[in-house]
Amino acid sequence: MPIKITDLNYVYSAGTPFAKHALKNVDLYIEDGEFWGVIGHTGSGKSTLFSHLNALTRIQSGVIQVDEFTMTGNGGKKLKRKNRPDFKALRARVGMVFQYPEYQLFAESVEEDVAFGAKNIGIKGDELAERVENAIKMVGLDYEEVRSRSPFDLSGGQKRRVALAGVLAMHPKVLVLDEPTAGLDPRGKKEILDLITEIKAALCPTIIMISHNMDEVARYCDKIAVMADGELKLTATPKELFTQTGLLESLHIEMPQVTALACALASRGLDVSGAALTEDELVEEILRAKGVTA
Amino acid sequence: MKDVTIGQYYPVSSPIHRLDPRIKLLAVILYIVAIFFIQKFVGFALVAVFLLAAVFLSRVPLLKVLRSLRAVLFLVTFTMIISVLFYSSKTAEPLWAWGIIKIYKQGLINAARMGLRLILLVLGPSLLTLTTTPTALTDGLESLLKPLALIKLPIHELAIIMSIALRLIPTLMEETEKIMNAQKARCADFDTGNIFKRAKALIPVLIPLFVSSFRRADELADAMDSRCYRGAKGRTRMKRLKLHFRDFAASFVMLALFFVILVLRYNWFGWAFVAALI
Amino acid sequence: MIEVRNVKFVYNEGAEDEKEALHNVSFTVNDGEFVALVGHNGSGKSTLARLFNGLLAPSSGIVKVDGMDTSDKKALFDIRKTVGVVFQNPDNQMVASVIEDDVAFGPENLGLASEEISERVEWALKSVGMAEHRKGTPFRLSGGQKQRIAIAGVLAVKPKVMVLDESTAMLDPLGRDEVMNVITRLNREEKMTVIMITHFMEEAALADRIIVMRDGRVAAEGGKEIFRKRELIESAGLELPVAARIAAKLRERGLDIEGDVTLPGELIDALCP
């Protein structure tokens, strides 16, 4: 069963003058196997929304269903153990990779660090070793080379991969990534995004990626959720979303650079579609408009 | 977490808020000394009235000031009970006796005195922190301690360490929360098990926190060097603390209070003079 | 203004884990220029940032700022008055909990009179569009705003050169635009020399000159014509700005596009005359 969020509300510092309605009546349905992009400005409620999925944020009101786990709001009061799902099992199911995850590394060796999560859910012995080895290989690191090295001696990009492996070793079925490419150079960005695509195919079918980069979202995601002021403004495919110029403007969302370029060309009289999302699409459109045939 | 305010500064504008931090610091010191001189209840009443007036002027709600007592409530009650129970006298009649427990009038008086003294001791400094920003306090302390730099005490360094610490506390609290969440997402358990287990569970939080604090410290040092920092050498300040009329007025009131308390304590000029004064 | 000549830099020299970050690097930056220094993570860019104002001294070779040698400890104070550096993480550059106190930190170190410091703080905050936040605290600001405060803190020293060491890397697109607007304005209007270290090629496209670093060496140096060398840029772990990428693909497919196309406007002009 997929992810279903019904009428989720969240208020920070409730009952004080600083109270902030961070989430307002959010309904969201995510099908198994989808690659979601989540966009919205800093403070729009994106992170609050998705930290509910693995119970890092305690649900106040509304219902969240993730597979067999159901959490129901209780006015912000702590739920009794018998009335709530097993958080460890839930957190293993919904893996969460935070911004700059390399800052969570702590163990003496890469191997140990990657094993941390899996060990916490009770994986032991051969299975643990196997999971760790596979996770390290899956993120594109040389297992024999890095396994006993200190994670602190690795390069920035490698550290990020180790952190990612640490989540993968728990074998999540949903992976939430908060700006996985932040701070990386263009090559590093592309490598991580391709890696996520591989992970999706091989291990974890549902991906939710929070991103500020419209080009990434347009290129990699099937569906996009737009958050603003604590509300889920809309869900759409990249094509549907990025062709609605007026809507984008009213939500202060920029277009992917390629789409913006296509629109500008169209408005200058070149006969190209303003719906081009990727470079290759735009190149074909321009060639067609210019009458150049391959 | 972003709403963390350091200390308990209450941000309103008032004559007390505007006082020079040095004057406020000195006033609080004098206030504390004065309280130790008080023997008679009329002295406590005088200080209480003075404090109430200051709270009123500061526009901090009285409840907010009283809340600082919560932390010491247990200590106050405990000391009072002890001083009642342990007072004994050979001459006086106990008011009440039950087995070896004897309660004397003087014991009750002593306990009341002790309780009042503790309560007033806590309320004064807390009014200071409620009306003065940590930054202003640091500046005030640095300025007051400046003479000690002559005997080679690193006053400037201490002040800058304090100000950077104040600046970094909210950042580090936020960072701690982030790391804890990241480890919780990896199924770390901070809430169950005995004390040793819980302490051990914090390792995955403390190590990244240390690593990142060192990294921050390095970067901060680079940023400070880049902005021409050379320690106290040749350094001036934008905000020079300047005394205003209100500061002299406040000093006068504080000294007057102290004087009256001394008069009450040592019965200078005899009581008649004090009575005439009031 | 800044001259880097045959510079080599080795971290942990002589130790087991010694690492050569720069090999024989030479270039100059002229007065009033806007130079972008681009390269992959670990290409030696950030080491260079720390060489420009003497936070690091070259292992061999010379870095000169306005004629002063950065290896000369006695000149350091004057060098740092000349070259200001804004770093990556705004949270790690602020020393005070009140914005005006933080911006005042630099001029206070210069030993200026209180009134002048206050004027400089006002001017610097105005320059970055944050004057109304003077009495506020940095804690509640957005990343872009915090970074503008950091820039104001460096500006208040009134340096001739401003180095930005990946100062936009941690910001969202909005914050990045805020910072870039401030920087281009400082360069155009205040004639400040700017060295922008970045791996966002769209930012580099705004510079007069681009220096491409690869594995501790200068791989290429020049104006916008550099974006014609797609393979070189990609071999340095970077990518062309989107307009240049599309122009390159169009050229490959036989469409003739004139001129050096780096900014979207240039591509549009080339395609829609």
Side-chain angles (χ1 to χ4, degrees):
Chain A
M1 198 182 127
I3 296 170
K4 193 175 170 197
I5 297 173
T6 319
D7 201 21
L8 187 66
N9 277 276
Y10 192 82
V11 183
Y12 276 110
S13 321
T16 74
F18 303 107
K20 190 181 167 241
H21 214 141
L23 290 177
K24 295 170 200 162
N25 309 86
V26 174
D27 289 298
L28 179 63
Y29 185 79
I30 292 177
E31 197 72 68
D32 276 342
E34 286 179 332
F35 194 145
W36 277 74
V38 183
I39 60 179
H41 293 295
T42 312
S44 59
K46 298 171 297 201
S47 306
T48 312
L49 174 58
F50 290 100
S51 62
H52 274 88
L53 282 189
N54 68 350
L56 281 181
T57 296
R58 187 189 299 152
I59 184 168
Q60 289 178 344
S61 90
V63 184
I64 295 175
Q65 288 160 278
V66 181
D67 296 343
E68 70 272 26
F69 305 97
T70 303
M71 291 174 281
T72 310
N74 186 23
K77 283 194 281 293
K78 214 168 175 170
L79 285 171
K80 294 221 172 66
R81 199 166 270 270
K82 62 177 181 356
N83 292 333
R84 64 165 175 80
D86 173 2
F87 284 166
K88 278 192 180 177
L90 174 64
R91 286 171 187 164
R93 186 74 55 86
V94 183
M96 195 155 302
V97 181
F98 288 90
Q99 242 178 22
Y100 299 98
E102 52 273 30
Y103 295 149
Q104 72 184 38
L105 302 178
F106 71 96
E108 278 171 45
S109 71
V110 168
E111 220 169 13
E112 248 179 89
D113 210 295
V114 172
F116 181 68
K119 233 163 142 179
N120 284 334
I121 53 172
I123 311 289
K124 295 193 253 301
D126 288 347
E127 195 192 344
L128 183 65
E130 198 185 307
R131 279 188 179 209
V132 169
E133 182 177 343
N134 287 338
I136 293 176
K137 284 180 176 161
M138 175 157 270
V139 296
L141 294 173
D142 181 342
Y143 175 68
E144 291 304 329
E145 211 263 317
V146 300
R147 58 184 292 190
S148 45
R149 281 176 65 183
S150 159
F152 298 106
D153 289 341
L154 303 176
S155 77
Q158 288 174 318
K159 280 186 203 166
R160 189 165 299 188
R161 285 161 190 261
V162 172
L164 188 54
V167 174
L168 294 181
M170 299 191 297
H171 288 185
K173 290 294 155 218
V174 178
L175 193 59
V176 181
L177 301 126
D178 192 352
E179 288 197 64
T181 62
L184 298 177
D185 58 25
R187 185 191 289 157
K189 279 195 167 89
K190 189 166 180 313
E191 283 171 0
I192 287 282
L193 289 165
D194 290 342
L195 183 61
I196 293 169
T197 319
E198 276 169 43
I199 291 167
K200 182 175 182 331
L203 176 74
C204 176
T206 309
I207 307 276
I208 300 169
M209 178 170 80
I210 299 175
S211 174
H212 283 303
N213 186 323
M214 298 307 139
D215 291 83
E216 276 175 21
V217 172
R219 164 115 173 60
Y220 288 90
C221 301
D222 310 319
K223 288 270 186 65
I224 298 177
V226 183
M227 296 283 300
D229 304 320
E231 287 174 53
L232 180 63
K233 291 291 182 185
L234 82 154
T235 57
T237 64
K239 259 252 138 86
E240 287 162 7
L241 176 69
F242 291 121
T243 45
Q244 302 182 56
T245 328
L247 179 72
L248 292 178
E249 226 161 85
S250 70
L251 292 172
H252 302 287
I253 298 171
E254 45 179 342
M255 282 187 192
Q257 295 183 50
V258 174
T259 316
L261 202 51
C263 286
L265 285 169
S267 74
R268 281 279 288 267
L270 194 68
D271 178 27
V272 294
S273 151
L277 287 180
T278 64
E279 282 163 35
D280 291 332
E281 274 174 54
L282 181 58
V283 167
E284 293 308 324
E285 283 286 306
I286 294 173
L287 291 172
R288 188 183 48 73
K290 286 277 180 186
V292 181
T293 42
Chain B
M1 263 308 186
K2 281 209 171 124
D3 285 321
V4 163
T5 41
I6 325 153
Q8 40 173 356
Y9 182 66
Y10 190 82
V12 290
S13 175
S14 84
I16 304 282
H17 283 73
R18 280 192 294 272
L19 283 180
D20 189 295
R22 292 170 298 179
I23 297 298
K24 279 193 268 192
L25 274 164
L26 290 175
V28 166
I29 293 170
L30 201 59
Y31 170 92
I32 291 171
V33 174
I35 286 174
F36 281 106
F37 275 104
I38 296 175
Q39 286 292 332
K40 304 202 160 60
F41 284 98
V42 60
F44 287 121
L46 192 66
V47 171
V49 168
F50 168 83
L51 190 71
L52 275 174
V55 170
F56 176 74
L57 271 178
S58 74
R59 299 181 47 212
V60 179
L62 183 61
L63 258 173
K64 191 109 196 158
V65 184
L66 293 178
R67 200 167 289 165
S68 57
L69 287 176
R70 272 195 308 203
V72 291
L73 203 61
F74 173 75
L75 181 76
V76 171
T77 334
F78 184 74
T79 357
M80 285 174 74
I81 291 173
I82 292 288
S83 86
V84 169
L85 294 184
F86 283 72
Y87 181 84
S88 70
S89 163
K90 296 235 162 61
T91 53
E93 268 301 293
L95 290 176
W96 188 76
W98 188 72
I100 54 159
I101 299 172
K102 293 192 177 84
I103 290 174
Y104 296 89
K105 186 177 167 206
Q106 193 56 41
L108 287 176
I109 292 173
N110 285 355
R113 193 177 284 146
M114 188 106 62
L116 279 170
R117 186 169 287 157
L118 278 172
I119 287 168
L120 289 172
L121 271 180
V122 170
L123 290 180
S126 81
L127 186 62
L128 172 73
T129 52
L130 279 163
T131 60
T132 320
T133 62
T135 321
L137 273 180
T138 314
D139 288 348
L141 264 178
E142 185 186 5
S143 171
L144 285 177
L145 297 178
K146 208 172 249 165
L148 294 181
L150 291 177
I151 55 165
K152 303 268 180 215
L153 281 177
I155 298 304
H156 163 77
E157 283 72 13
L158 285 175
I160 204 131
I161 288 170
M162 255 177 83
S163 113
I164 288 172
L166 288 171
R167 148 75 194 81
L168 281 178
I169 286 169
T171 309
L172 289 181
M173 305 234 335
E174 210 178 302
E175 177 124 9
T176 311
E177 193 183 56
K178 269 189 204 160
I179 298 173
M180 277 185 98
N181 271 338
Q183 309 303 26
K184 272 192 205 162
R186 291 204 278 168
C187 299
D189 186 351
F190 301 117
D191 307 319
T192 55
N194 61 31
I195 189 151
F196 293 108
K197 212 178 149 203
R198 285 191 197 202
K200 201 171 158 240
L202 283 177
I203 291 175
V205 176
L206 293 178
I207 289 178
L209 193 62
F210 275 130
V211 171
S212 101
S213 302
F214 280 115
R215 186 174 42 82
R216 279 181 198 284
D218 264 350
E219 288 182 24
L220 191 66
D222 275 353
M224 287 171 72
D225 280 344
S226 296
R227 285 159 76 184
C228 304
Y229 183 63
R230 299 183 291 179
K233 186 176 154 200
R235 188 170 147 81
T236 49
R237 298 303 302 269
M238 174 172 71
K239 290 178 184 163
R240 279 172 311 189
L241 294 171
K242 255 197 298 203
L243 295 178
H244 295 89
F245 174 72
R246 55 172 177 267
D247 297 309
F248 292 109
S251 313
F252 177 76
V253 171
M254 198 59 225
L255 285 170
L257 177 79
F258 191 61
F259 180 70
V260 171
I261 283 172
L262 288 182
V263 167
L264 287 175
R265 167 77 197 257
Y266 296 110
N267 198 10
W268 291 343
F269 323 120
W271 278 101
F273 181 81
V274 177
L277 204 80
I278 299 168
Chain C
M1 191 74 225
I2 293 187
E3 193 189 347
V4 177
R5 209 189 313 139
N6 303 326
V7 163
K8 196 172 110 176
F9 188 84
V10 185
Y11 282 103
N12 306 326
E13 203 163 5
E16 196 184 319
D17 56 345
E18 92 168 20
K19 191 175 158 269
E20 199 167 317
L22 294 173
H23 325 268
N24 203 28
V25 171
S26 301
F27 58 83
T28 53
V29 176
N30 302 316
D31 239 345
E33 231 185 343
F34 183 166
V35 174
L37 204 59
V38 297
H40 56 91
N41 289 347
S43 64
K45 306 186 302 267
S46 291
T47 308
L48 272 171
R50 286 165 171 75
L51 285 165
F52 290 142
N53 73 343
L55 286 176
L56 298 174
S59 307
S60 72
I62 283 183
V63 179
K64 274 193 167 173
V65 173
D66 228 359
M68 297 174 279
D69 187 339
T70 60
S71 301
D72 176 9
K73 287 232 158 55
K74 280 186 222 99
L76 277 184
F77 186 67
D78 288 317
I79 287 169
R80 287 175 189 162
K81 272 202 283 194
T82 315
V83 180
V85 184
V86 182
F87 294 92
Q88 189 179 64
N89 188 342
D91 278 331
N92 298 353
Q93 297 173 65
M94 290 190 195
V95 290
S97 321
V98 179
I99 286 169
E100 63 170 346
D101 293 349
D102 184 71
V103 178
F105 181 74
E108 285 178 340
N109 291 329
L110 300 183
L112 301 174
S114 160
E115 296 72 31
E116 190 180 351
I117 298 176
S118 180
E119 274 163 31
R120 281 193 180 197
V121 169
E122 188 66 29
W123 167 79
L125 283 172
K126 239 182 221 150
S127 291
V128 300
M130 292 293 289
E132 73 275 25
H133 293 274
R134 180 168 178 158
K135 304 274 176 196
T137 77
F139 303 122
R140 275 157 222 260
L141 299 179
S142 72
Q145 288 175 316
K146 282 187 199 170
Q147 199 60 289
R148 276 147 70 196
I149 300 292
I151 293 173
V154 170
L155 266 184
V157 177
K158 298 213 171 173
K160 292 184 191 159
V161 184
M162 167 111 55
V163 179
L164 295 114
D165 183 11
E166 300 204 40
S167 305
T168 57
M170 296 183 78
L171 307 180
D172 61 12
L174 225 74
R176 230 156 41 220
D177 283 349
E178 286 170 27
V179 168
M180 285 314 291
N181 287 338
V182 167
I183 293 305
T184 40
R185 197 191 67 76
L186 285 172
N187 175 252
R188 308 256 147 87
E189 289 170 26
E190 315 262 345
K191 306 289 171 229
M192 181 165 288
T193 311
V194 172
I195 304 177
M196 171 105 200
I197 298 175
T198 182
H199 48 232
F200 291 105
M201 295 307 265
E202 281 70 26
E203 291 172 0
L206 298 169
D208 305 324
R209 198 149 59 90
I210 298 140
I211 297 172
V212 183
M213 296 290 298
R214 184 179 56 200
D215 299 324
R217 290 191 170 80
V218 175
E221 184 183 347
K224 288 184 179 169
E225 72 275 6
I226 229 165
F227 292 121
R228 287 232 177 183
K229 300 177 185 163
R230 183 170 166 194
E231 268 157 37
L232 175 120
I233 299 279
E234 281 173 6
S235 76
L238 302 167
E239 58 183 2
L240 295 174
V242 66
R245 282 203 303 270
I246 288 173
K249 282 187 179 165
L250 289 171
R251 281 188 191 117
E252 271 168 32
R253 299 282 293 270
L255 189 70
D256 190 33
I257 292 172
E258 286 190 20
D260 296 314
V261 170
T262 49
L263 298 171
E266 293 164 348
L267 180 65
I268 294 165
D269 287 340
L271 288 172
C272 314

